[in-house]
Amino acid sequence: MGRSAAFFDLDKTVIAKSSALAFGRPFYRDGLITRRDVVKSAYAQLMFRLGGTDEHTMARTRDYLAALCKGWPVEQVRQIVAETLHELINPYVYAEAAALIMEHQAAGRDVVLVSASGEEMVRPIGELLGVTDVIATRMTVRDGRYSGEVEFYAAGPSKVEAVSELATARGYDLADSYAYSDSYSDRPLLECVGHPSVVNPDRQLRKLASENAWPVLEFRHPIPLGRRLRERPAVPVAAAALGVGVGVAIGIAWYGRHRRTRAAATA
């Protein structure tokens, strides 16, 4: 029997928000996106939510993200993520997910984050969680800037292809491996391992889990790292039974409301 691994989707599975949404505010602040992009991003978000599991919608989302990011300096994106990671991501990591990741690691399994978000976001989030292996969307880079092309889009069946390649290279036994996701679009990922679990599922995914007798986990406690370390025994996992650009519009809208609320409070 080969080694086993645990594959975790990121958004709404490990963290309680969209990673792209989380970084929308500093992207807007630093001029990477404009007000016009807000409208286009809102449309892309709506289309993904309405039909994000079909191949055509995934392809449109991929192409939109590539066009949105075209010309962005890669180093600027990395710097923004590094500077805002602890403020925008750390408080929203589910305590149940963090504990489950640690349990898999303690059992000797490799843990892999598998996300459609950009690698420049996903890898630092992985490091925050003590996870070094990630499968994420990779944009083509030329002369230090995104070219407007996607080298690898980590969504749907493409996730399974990357997982299978990693399993072959590492000697993982997928029949003895685990996968966790909140999204029906990750059905191929869940079906490729012997121990799939759904996290905070919507109706469609919950129905699929019921049909296949998959465990349904409810993660409800996003807690910052410091508190997770102090309070870990109080969050028993057993009781717990989206690339760059998608969600940006919602993030900016939230930021606008947040600033107005603060201004009103100090007036």
Side-chain angles (χ1 to χ4, degrees):
M1 182 178 296
R3 300 163 57 197
S4 63
F7 301 94
F8 284 80
D9 176 48
L10 180 60
D11 297 349
K12 308 299 180 66
T13 300
V14 173
I15 61 175
K17 57 163 57 180
S18 160
S19 50
L21 182 156
F23 293 109
R25 178 176 52 168
F27 286 163
Y28 180 66
R29 178 198 64 202
D30 285 20
L32 292 179
I33 56 177
T34 66
R35 291 186 181 277
R36 184 181 177 210
D37 294 327
V38 173
V39 178
K40 293 173 66 177
S41 297
Y43 178 76
Q45 175 76 1
L46 177 62
M47 291 299 100
F48 188 82
R49 287 188 177 276
L50 291 178
T53 59
D54 69 87
E55 186 175 342
H56 177 67
T57 302
M58 285 187 179
R60 289 184 61 186
T61 303
R62 176 201 63 206
D63 294 342
Y64 166 74
L65 298 179
L68 179 68
C69 302
K70 185 176 181 178
W72 289 12
V74 177
E75 190 54 40
Q76 183 181 4
V77 172
R78 289 174 178 165
Q79 184 176 351
I80 290 172
V81 172
E83 290 175 350
T84 59
L85 182 68
H86 286 275
E87 173 192 357
L88 301 178
I89 298 297
N90 182 34
Y92 298 96
V93 175
Y94 283 121
E96 298 93 336
L100 187 56
I101 286 171
M102 294 177 69
E103 288 190 5
H104 279 297
Q105 291 171 330
R109 299 185 191 95
D110 290 345
V111 173
V112 185
L113 289 184
V114 188
S115 174
S117 292
E119 187 173 28
E120 291 80 5
M121 296 178 185
V122 179
R123 192 166 294 282
I125 294 174
E127 292 173 357
L128 182 70
L129 295 163
V131 175
T132 58
D133 293 317
V134 305
I135 293 171
T137 294
R138 298 189 303 273
M139 313 295 287
T140 302
V141 176
R142 294 193 183 97
D143 299 322
R145 294 176 180 269
Y146 296 117
S147 69
E149 301 169 344
V150 178
E151 180 180 331
F152 171 71
Y153 186 43
S158 295
K159 283 189 177 183
V160 177
E161 293 174 11
V163 165
S164 298
E165 290 176 4
L166 185 62
T168 299
R170 298 276 184 86
Y172 297 147
D173 179 3
L174 290 180
D176 196 35
S177 292
Y178 297 73
Y180 303 87
S181 178
D182 75 301
S183 174
Y184 186 81
S185 66
D186 279 334
R187 177 176 181 170
L189 173 65
L190 294 167
E191 290 179 336
C192 84
V193 299
H195 303 284
S197 295
V198 302
V199 177
N200 301 342
D202 58 20
R203 182 179 299 177
Q204 190 176 20
L205 184 58
R206 189 178 293 273
K207 181 175 182 291
L208 179 67
S210 177
E211 292 171 349
N212 290 276
W214 294 345
V216 177
L217 309 181
E218 303 290 346
F219 292 174
R220 300 297 185 215
H221 303 92
I223 298 177
L225 178 60
R227 286 186 58 193
R228 288 200 302 274
L229 293 176
R230 292 194 303 270
E231 302 176 8
R232 187 185 172 209
V235 190
V237 173
L242 294 146
V244 177
V246 173
V248 165
I250 299 174
I252 294 170
W254 173 88
Y255 182 49
R257 289 196 302 270
H258 179 64
R259 290 188 62 183
R260 289 193 296 271
T261 301
R262 288 200 307 173
T266 57

